[in-house]
């Protein structure tokens, strides 16, 4: 008879088989598995030799094995009972479903005519019979009464199906995300109970319009709050049905409307520039190139140049347009396609420009907070949000460099090609900032978060900025870096949300800027003409709508603030 091995130190009762490679941990388990007549070998430690167990330990183990046998029988009995119960429940369910097919719900024409409405418009209809359409957002069956929270895009409505309305085959097989029609009397919820909007619909007639699948294909099996980020990106069309995602997009709509109201109030006119262009604005490295009927063309990086051409005819103008940047950036504040709110203003100076940006930001926030629906969305998404106080802090680029160095906030050292310099151990070498450095996102964010208020960072070196930006005049005999009349507006938790500057007003200076940047001026003839036919001091800015919304709604990434976000490697769905 082959020996059965027990190793009290390294064995396993759960996975052991009794061999030397897979011994049991206890004598009781060995006897339970192989019987009382088994030839047993045991050791206390992994480095000891196996030997026969003592008679007293075997006697004790036999009692333990008997206990295991009782547990096994008890478990088998319970399993049998569960199986029988499941079988009975299944049979009862199948019988109930068959019986339910005989119940046909008809709308009672003797009842008052139901008013068709949207959930957002229910307030004046309390006590009346209504008809609503939507999707099953939540579903609960409690002792034969079915509670449905309906979603129609304008709000949520708790509905109660009871009696025959809850006994039909459609009621017993109803699934999340099915589209339905509900008819009934709108009432206040019972005393002590709450419901979305303070309403509850007592349903007397309903029907399924489009059934959603159950089982493996059920909505909750496809997607839930714990789903991986890659799955959520792939199923963005389903994510949008969630209360948080839809609330962000709803707030976005109110935000755009408030921006338009604020800009119009400041006498700006909205225009719609093209997205297909043949000129660059922010540097050729970030252009998406395409073939346009045999000619090279690009997706626009910015509508700024076109907006400038509108100033002589329309005055101050703005647009809300998509912009595209082909930079391989995967940060939480970058998108390859984003909504760009841009504006251009004539006959202003740099201080006027910053004051205008501040005014538009504050007006827009005030309008949102004055709108009960928009304010409720902000409260839901960002409970601690407060309107920014004015005036915004203004900090020069040079002072920002000092601020960072005083606090020991460093940045990676780079070689002439812009590659990070590493030490012998492979660690990136960190150094202090100096004038001429492009302040990195991480340092900028750390500064903004520590200060905790909106900051106008202004006066950037010319070599860091686009060709069209106006330079700060140097005094006679003055040397050193040349700075620009440019600014970035930084917000806590997000960083830069606005970039703006005064534009070069003179033709000769603009032509020199083309040459310095290696830009062929020929395709820009229409832009250069703005300096030829009545130039003026003018400036403008671009605001990233998704970044602004991320600040307003306290979202971790701008990807949550776009309907279908695009970033490197992601162009679906």
């Amino acid at each position: 008879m082959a020996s059965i091995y027990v190793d009290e130190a390294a064995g396993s009762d759960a996975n052991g088989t009794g061999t030397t490679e897979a011994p049991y941990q206890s004598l009781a388990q060995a006897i339970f598995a192989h019987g009382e007549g088994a030839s047993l070998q045991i050791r206390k430690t992994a480095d000891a030799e196996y030997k026969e167990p003592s008679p007293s330990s075997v006697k004790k183990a036999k009692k333990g094995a008997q206990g295991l046998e009782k547990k096994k029988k008890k478990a088998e009995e319970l399993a049998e009972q569960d199986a029988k119960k499941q079988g009975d429940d299944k049979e009862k369910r199948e019988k109930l479903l068959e019986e339910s097919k005989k119940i046909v719900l008809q709308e009672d024409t003797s009842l008052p005519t139901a008013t068709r409405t949207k959930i957002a418009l229910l307030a004046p209809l309390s006590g009346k019979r209504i008809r609503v359409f939507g999707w099953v957002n939540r579903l609960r069956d409690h002792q034969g009464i079915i509670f449905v929270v309906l979603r129609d895009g304008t709000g949520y409505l708790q509905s109660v199906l009871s009696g025959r309305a809850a006994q039909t085959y459609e009621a017993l097989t109803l699934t999340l995300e099915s589209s339905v029609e509900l008819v009934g009397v709108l009432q206040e919820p019972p005393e002590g109970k709450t419901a979305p909007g303070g309403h509850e619909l007592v349903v007397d007639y309903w029907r399924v319009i489009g059934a959603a699948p159950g089982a493996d294909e059920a909505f909750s099996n496809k997607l839930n709050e714990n789903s991986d980020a890659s799955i959520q990106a792939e199923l963005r069309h389903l994510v949008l049905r969630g209360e948080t995602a839809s609330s962000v997009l709803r707030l976005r709509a109110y935000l755009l409307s408030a921006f338009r109201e604020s800009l119009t109030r400041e006498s700006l006119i909205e225009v719609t520039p093209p997205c297909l262009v043949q000129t660059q604005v922010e540097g050729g490295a970030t252009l998406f190139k395409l073939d346009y009927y045999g000619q090279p063309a690009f997706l626009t990086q910015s509508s700024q140049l076109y907006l400038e051409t509108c100033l002589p005819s329309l005055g101050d103008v703005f647009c809300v347009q998509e912009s595209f940047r082909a930079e391989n950036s995967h940060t939480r504040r970058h998108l390859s396609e984003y909504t760009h709110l841009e504006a251009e203003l004539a006959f202003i100076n740099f201080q006027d420009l910053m004051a205008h940006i501040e005014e538009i930001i504050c007006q827009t926030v005030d309008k949102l907070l004055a709108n009960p629906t928009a304010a409720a969305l902000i409260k839901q998404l960002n409970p601690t949000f407060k309107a920014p106080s004015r005036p915004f802090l203004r900090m020069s680029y040079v002072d920002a460099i000092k601020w960072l160095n005083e606090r020991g906030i460093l940045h990676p050292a780079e070689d002439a090609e812009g590659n990070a310099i590493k030490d012998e151990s492979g660690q990136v070498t960190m150094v202090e900032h100096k004038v001429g450095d492009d302040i990195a996102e991480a340092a900028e964010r750390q500064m903004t978060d520590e200060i905790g208020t909106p900051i106008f960072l202004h006066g950037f070196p010319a070599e860091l900025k686009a060709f069209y930006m106006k330079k700060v005049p140097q005094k006679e005999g003055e040397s050193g870096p040349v700075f620009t009349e440019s600014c970035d507006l930084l917000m806590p938790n997000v960083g830069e949300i606005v970039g703006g500057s005064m534009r070069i007003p003179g033709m000769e200076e603009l032509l020199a800027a083309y040459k310095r940047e290696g830009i062929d001026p020929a395709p820009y003839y229409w832009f250069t003409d703005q300096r030829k036919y009545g130039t003026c001091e003018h400036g403008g800015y671009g605001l990233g709508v998704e970044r602004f919304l991320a600040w307003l709604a306290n979202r971790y990434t701008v990807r949550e603030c776009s309907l279908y976000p695009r970033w490197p490697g992601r162009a679906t769905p």
Side-chain angles (χ1 to χ4, degrees):
M1 180 183 296
S3 294
I4 303 302
Y5 293 89
V6 176
D7 186 330
E8 293 184 339
S12 170
D13 285 348
N15 302 315
T17 59
T19 64
T20 53
E21 293 79 14
Y24 293 110
Q25 188 178 34
S26 69
L27 282 172
Q29 180 64 32
I31 294 171
F32 170 68
H34 297 276
E36 295 184 3
S39 174
L40 301 173
Q41 294 287 315
I42 188 172
R43 64 181 181 183
K44 299 289 185 184
T45 61
D47 55 355
E49 291 186 4
Y50 283 104
K51 60 181 181 180
E52 289 185 6
S54 65
S56 61
S57 61
V58 171
K59 183 178 180 181
K60 183 178 179 181
K62 286 179 179 179
K63 289 184 179 180
Q66 290 171 1
L68 291 173
E69 183 65 31
K70 288 179 181 178
K71 284 184 180 179
K72 178 185 175 183
K73 288 181 178 179
K74 183 66 174 178
E76 288 174 347
E77 288 175 4
L78 290 173
E80 187 178 343
Q81 291 173 10
D82 286 345
K84 185 177 185 305
K85 186 176 184 304
Q86 288 179 12
D88 291 345
D89 289 347
K90 184 179 179 182
E91 184 178 344
K92 184 179 179 181
R93 171 74 174 172
E94 289 174 350
K95 185 177 180 180
L96 186 63
L97 288 175
E98 281 301 314
E99 290 296 320
S100 70
K101 292 176 182 178
K102 300 174 184 177
I103 301 174
V104 179
L105 207 59
Q106 299 272 345
E107 185 169 1
D108 190 343
T109 56
S110 69
L111 294 174
T113 302
T115 301
R116 178 168 176 169
T117 185
K118 296 284 189 180
I119 293 173
L121 306 176
L122 291 177
L125 297 173
S126 183
K128 293 182 169 41
R129 194 162 177 265
I130 65 165
R131 186 185 309 272
V132 288
F133 297 81
W135 290 263
V136 177
N137 191 67
R138 289 197 290 275
L139 181 64
R140 180 169 63 93
D141 187 339
H142 179 67
Q143 297 179 351
I145 298 175
I146 299 174
F147 294 88
V148 173
V149 175
L150 189 72
R151 181 188 75 243
D152 73 348
T154 72
Y156 301 86
L157 174 63
Q158 180 168 291
S159 309
V160 183
L161 281 62
S162 61
R164 287 175 61 83
Q167 295 167 2
T168 64
Y169 181 80
E170 289 75 15
L172 298 179
T173 58
L174 188 59
T175 52
L176 289 174
E177 294 304 321
S178 293
S179 54
V180 296
E181 173 188 2
L182 303 180
V183 183
V185 177
L186 189 66
Q187 299 180 354
E188 292 184 3
E191 188 175 348
K193 304 292 184 180
T194 60
H199 306 293
E200 184 174 83
L201 182 65
V202 179
V203 176
D204 56 60
Y205 171 76
W206 74 283
R207 66 188 179 97
V208 173
I209 295 172
D216 292 343
E217 284 295 302
F219 184 86
S220 55
N221 288 333
K222 297 278 285 186
L223 187 73
N224 57 61
E225 60 184 11
N226 298 317
S227 296
D228 184 83
S230 62
I231 294 175
Q232 292 192 31
E234 196 69 21
L235 300 179
R236 178 67 177 168
H237 60 295
L238 300 181
V239 170
L240 296 178
R241 300 185 180 209
E243 293 181 33
T244 298
S246 61
S247 293
V248 171
L249 294 178
R250 197 181 310 280
L251 179 58
R252 178 187 169 109
Y254 284 106
L255 172 63
L256 289 173
S257 178
F259 265 128
R260 285 186 164 99
E261 287 182 34
S262 300
L263 289 158
T264 302
R265 182 177 177 182
E266 296 298 311
S267 300
L268 277 76
I269 291 179
E270 184 171 4
V271 295
T272 309
C275 282
L276 286 170
V277 301
Q278 291 186 304
T279 51
Q280 68 184 52
V281 181
E282 300 296 334
T286 66
L287 284 166
F288 283 108
K289 188 174 182 180
L290 55 99
D291 179 84
Y292 185 69
Y293 300 105
Q295 303 177 58
F298 312 98
L299 294 176
T300 184
Q301 302 164 313
S302 166
S303 298
Q304 175 207 319
L305 306 189
Y306 293 96
L307 292 179
E308 288 190 46
T309 69
C310 298
L311 294 177
S313 57
L314 299 175
D316 299 342
V317 291
F318 76 96
C319 71
V320 181
Q321 190 81 306
E322 298 307 291
S323 284
F324 304 83
R325 301 284 171 90
E327 51 187 324
N328 192 21
S329 180
H330 293 263
T331 76
R332 58 191 176 107
R333 70 176 193 177
H334 281 88
L335 291 170
S336 299
E337 175 187 0
Y338 65 98
T339 303
H340 209 175
L341 188 154
E342 298 181 86
E344 289 293 319
L345 301 96
F347 303 105
I348 62 168
N349 60 36
F350 187 42
Q351 296 305 317
D352 294 334
L353 177 64
M354 288 192 286
H356 166 85
I357 295 171
E358 181 178 302
E359 178 64 26
I360 293 300
I361 295 293
C362 292
Q363 265 197 53
T364 299
V365 170
D366 289 344
K367 288 180 187 298
L368 290 169
L369 294 177
N371 180 317
T373 306
L377 288 169
I378 294 172
K379 183 71 174 176
Q380 171 195 337
L381 296 165
N382 189 1
T384 61
F385 179 81
K386 292 182 180 179
S389 58
R390 303 170 71 172
F392 293 170
L393 175 66
R394 284 153 170 78
M395 178 186 288
S396 73
Y397 164 85
V398 172
D399 286 342
I401 293 291
K402 292 178 183 176
W403 191 96
L404 293 169
N405 289 337
E406 286 171 357
R407 287 156 182 79
I409 299 173
L410 307 177
H411 76 114
E414 295 182 348
D415 59 23
E417 285 74 39
N419 300 312
I421 298 173
K422 299 181 180 179
D423 60 22
E424 294 178 356
S425 66
Q427 294 293 316
V428 174
T429 302
M430 304 296 289
V431 295
E432 284 194 340
H433 290 82
K434 64 181 184 300
V435 173
D437 288 339
D438 192 0
I439 299 175
E441 179 189 345
E444 180 183 272
R445 187 189 295 274
Q446 189 172 345
M447 179 179 71
T448 309
D449 290 350
E450 186 170 326
I451 293 174
T453 62
I455 306 169
F456 271 120
L457 197 59
H458 62 86
F460 294 92
E463 63 266 24
L464 298 180
K465 290 299 181 179
F467 72 92
Y468 53 77
M469 292 189 180
K470 183 182 178 182
K471 298 177 180 61
V472 177
Q474 287 187 305
K475 297 176 182 177
E476 189 174 346
E478 186 180 1
S479 62
V482 177
F483 297 97
T484 55
E485 291 190 340
S486 59
C487 64
D488 288 347
L489 178 58
L490 313 179
M491 287 295 192
N493 301 321
V494 178
E496 179 195 344
I497 64 167
V498 179
S501 77
M502 296 298 291
R503 318 309 192 189
I504 293 174
M507 183 187 293
E508 294 305 317
E509 187 180 352
L510 181 59
L511 291 173
Y514 290 147
K515 185 175 181 179
R516 185 181 66 251
E517 297 295 327
I519 296 173
D520 179 6
Y524 293 83
Y525 71 94
W526 51 274
F527 178 67
T528 310
D529 274 356
Q530 304 308 307
R531 280 76 182 164
K532 181 177 181 181
Y533 295 95
T535 190
C536 70
E537 293 287 340
H538 64 287
Y541 58 93
L543 177 147
V545 170
E546 288 82 7
R547 289 188 184 182
F548 190 95
L549 183 56
W551 166 70
L552 186 67
N554 194 30
R555 297 298 93 191
Y556 176 75
T557 169
V558 293
R559 296 176 186 179
E560 296 180 59
C561 301
S562 173
L563 182 64
Y564 285 99
R566 301 296 188 238
W567 65 88
R570 169 63 60 181
T572 55

